[in-house]
Amino acid sequence: AVGFSGNDHVFEFNEMHSVVQRANDAGIIYAGYNPAMRGNIIRHNYFHHVYGYQGRGANGVYLDDMFCSAAIYGNIFHEVHRAILIGGGRDNVVENNLFIDCPIAVHVDARMLNWASRAVEIVKTRLEEVPYREEPWRSRYPELLTYLEGNYAEPRGNVIVRNVSVGGRFDGIRPDARPFVEPGVNLVDEDPRFVDAANGDFRLREESPAWAMGFKPIPVERIGLYASPDRASWPVIHSVRPKASYAPTEPPPPPPPALQVRRAVGPVAIDGSLGPDEWFGLHPEQGILLAQNEYG
């Protein structure tokens, strides 16, 4: 639904669903490949019912190769196959989110240390294209001053704290990334006491155990479309696409037939004359006709 680049964007109070229908390696919100893009905030959004092409999986917030410094705060993820993907980046904060029935809630990997290492120098070049050692960069993003120290391909500084996850799997942190992720307290697979989960009301009741770990209320009343004289119509009608509709409705086509092509028995000369040894040993008068039949 949203692809962005640049710095200091705020994405808030949006409801996004039934997108990413024709791809799997994609996300509801996507950015990547530049550690200088910082200060971005994704907060108080409702992401739900996103399954990917033919229901095979897709991502919610997708921070691709070494994207850094996004604050993902106070969002609701409901039935999103991989709610958050941090692909080798650093200094991202995942805090105060709700994950409901997401097969994987938070994925973090260290791809730049292994299979994506070829892109490390590209990412470095993109950082050095901006004057991050000068003002106003050095004051606004001081962490960039030391970014290239040590092994800068390590996914350092990612924080995952005070989230609530029920259903699915919360911890999708890959083993090679785990040493670089700052652990925090999260409420996982414990009844969070939703007001009415069966009808999509994911507000927390007063007796929710999430409050004890410092969880803050999500302003759900502000999320989504609102009445405005600038709209062409009101109310806006939109419906959720169920997961079953993503499944393939027809069996895959059979593989194409395997054809055997006979070898020429002699060298081919481009001279306008077809010799018997140039075309499968056939007679020159038959060669052109048979070639058209075999090759269309």
Side-chain angles (χ1 to χ4, degrees):
V2 176
F4 74 93
S5 62
N7 299 57
D8 298 310
H9 301 300
V10 177
F11 304 91
E12 63 183 355
F13 303 125
N14 302 285
E15 179 181 2
M16 302 183 189
H17 66 82
S18 306
V19 296
V20 197
Q21 299 179 11
R22 302 297 300 175
N24 301 118
D25 187 16
I28 304 173
I29 292 183
Y30 177 91
Y33 296 97
N34 197 327
M37 295 178 182
R38 293 190 167 241
N40 297 290
I41 299 172
I42 302 169
R43 69 186 176 200
H44 300 152
N45 301 283
Y46 179 27
F47 306 111
H48 60 104
H49 298 93
V50 171
Y51 307 105
Y53 178 59
Q54 295 185 342
R56 298 174 182 174
N59 304 295
V61 176
Y62 188 171
L63 306 181
D64 209 353
D65 296 354
M66 290 187 83
F67 191 87
C68 300
S69 183
I72 307 170
Y73 180 89
N75 302 281
I76 302 172
F77 297 87
H78 180 209
E79 290 196 36
V80 179
H81 177 81
R82 186 185 290 102
I84 296 174
L85 189 155
I86 299 174
R90 289 163 49 177
D91 305 323
N92 299 289
V93 178
V94 179
E95 182 180 6
N96 210 88
N97 300 282
L98 295 178
F99 302 96
I100 305 100
D101 297 329
C102 297
I104 301 173
V106 183
H107 168 106
V108 185
D109 62 51
R111 63 183 62 187
M112 313 310 286
L113 294 176
N114 39 70
W115 62 267
S117 59
R118 66 191 183 281
V120 172
E121 287 303 311
I122 298 174
V123 172
K124 176 184 177 182
T125 298
R126 292 183 177 177
L127 171 60
E128 292 176 337
E129 287 174 349
V130 301
Y132 68 94
R133 295 184 180 89
E134 304 172 9
E135 295 294 351
W137 286 79
R138 61 180 298 114
S139 296
R140 180 69 180 92
Y141 312 116
E143 62 275 10
L144 288 179
L145 297 174
T146 57
Y147 184 87
L148 296 177
E149 294 181 358
N151 188 352
Y152 57 90
E154 296 172 346
R156 307 175 210 151
N158 293 299
V159 177
I160 303 171
V161 64
R162 286 184 292 277
N163 299 282
V164 174
S165 178
V166 59
R169 176 161 64 98
F170 174 68
D171 187 343
I173 303 172
R174 299 298 297 255
D176 53 2
R178 193 169 298 280
F180 308 105
V181 177
E182 297 183 24
V185 59
N186 297 279
L187 185 71
V188 179
D189 292 333
E190 181 179 345
D191 186 358
R193 310 290 200 277
F194 292 129
V195 170
D196 188 3
N199 290 302
D201 189 344
F202 299 117
R203 292 175 298 166
L204 299 178
R205 301 201 299 263
E206 291 184 1
E207 65 271 24
S208 172
W211 306 127
M213 68 174 184
F215 194 90
K216 303 299 181 184
I218 298 174
V220 295
E221 68 283 355
R222 297 185 62 187
I223 297 175
L225 302 177
Y226 56 88
S228 168
D230 297 324
R231 295 196 183 279
S233 62
W234 186 262
V236 178
I237 306 301
H238 60 107
S239 59
V240 172
R241 185 176 181 183
K243 184 176 183 179
S245 67
Y246 288 79
T249 57
E250 299 180 358
L259 302 176
Q260 292 185 348
V261 179
R262 289 170 288 174
R263 243 178 233 275
V265 296
V268 177
I270 310 301
D271 55 7
S273 176
L274 184 63
D277 59 344
E278 294 179 322
W279 197 261
F280 312 139
L282 299 175
H283 190 278
E285 295 179 358
Q286 298 175 323
I288 295 176
L289 177 61
L290 292 177
Q292 288 176 341
N293 289 337
E294 293 203 24
Y295 292 99

